[in-house]
Amino acid sequence: GLGFNIVGGTDQQYISNDNSIYVSRIKKDGAAYLDGRLQEGDKILSVNGRDLKDLRHKDAVELFRNAGYDVSLKIQRRLQPQNGPVGHRDTGESGGLPLAAFLVPGLALAAAAVWILLRYRQRM
C-alpha cells in the first residue's frame, strides 16, 4: 500500500460541507512515511492527475489501490491549525496561563491553611 489512511468523500464528509479527501494517518515505516512529504491533515486534490473532487469515499479508496507503483499526488497543506480531529497541530505556544499556574499556588495555600488550622487546634 501507499502507507496512509484517508477520510472524507461525498458520502462520508469529514469536515462539514466539504467533500474533500484528507490524510487521516501516516503509517510508520510505510511508503508515505519513508518519503516524508505527506502529512496528516493534508487535503488530497488528485491522484495521478485524476481529480478527487466529488467522489464517494470507496471510489477514492479504489483510486489509491489502483494507483500503481509510481504515484503522483497533488495536495493542499493546511497552513494554520484548525479545531477538530484533523489539522490541530500544537505549536507549543499557549494562548494563556496553563492550569498549573492556578492549581499549584492554590493547593499550596490550601495545604498551609490546613496545617495552620491543625496547629492552632493542638494548642487549644
Side-chain angles (χ1 to χ4, degrees):
L2 300 174
F4 62 93
N5 293 356
I6 60 170
V7 292
T10 58
D11 56 335
Q12 296 180 21
Q13 289 183 343
Y14 188 64
I15 296 176
S16 186
N17 299 318
D18 184 354
N19 294 331
S20 301
I21 303 295
Y22 292 88
V23 176
S24 62
R25 181 173 163 252
I26 305 284
K27 297 177 184 176
K28 189 169 172 123
D29 297 327
Y33 177 85
L34 295 173
D35 177 77
R37 291 180 280 182
L38 196 63
Q39 296 178 10
E40 292 177 2
D42 286 348
K43 180 192 288 190
I44 304 176
L45 304 175
S46 69
V47 179
N48 293 338
R50 173 82 193 273
D51 192 6
L52 296 183
K53 189 175 183 178
D54 297 327
L55 285 181
R56 293 181 302 172
H57 180 80
K58 72 176 191 171
D59 295 331
V61 169
E62 274 307 303
L63 277 178
F64 285 104
R65 285 192 177 141
N66 297 319
Y69 184 75
D70 290 323
V71 179
S72 173
L73 300 178
K74 183 176 180 182
I75 64 149
Q76 180 179 357
R77 180 145 300 138
R78 286 197 186 153
L79 298 177
Q80 294 189 6
Q82 297 180 0
N83 291 333
V86 173
H88 178 75
R89 297 189 179 133
D90 189 4
T91 62
E93 296 178 16
S94 175
L97 292 174
L99 185 58
F102 296 104
L103 286 180
V104 172
L107 290 173
L109 285 173
V114 169
W115 183 79
I116 290 170
L117 181 64
L118 291 175
R119 296 280 295 185
Y120 179 74
R121 286 183 132 197
Q122 285 179 352
R123 291 186 181 181
M124 290 182 96

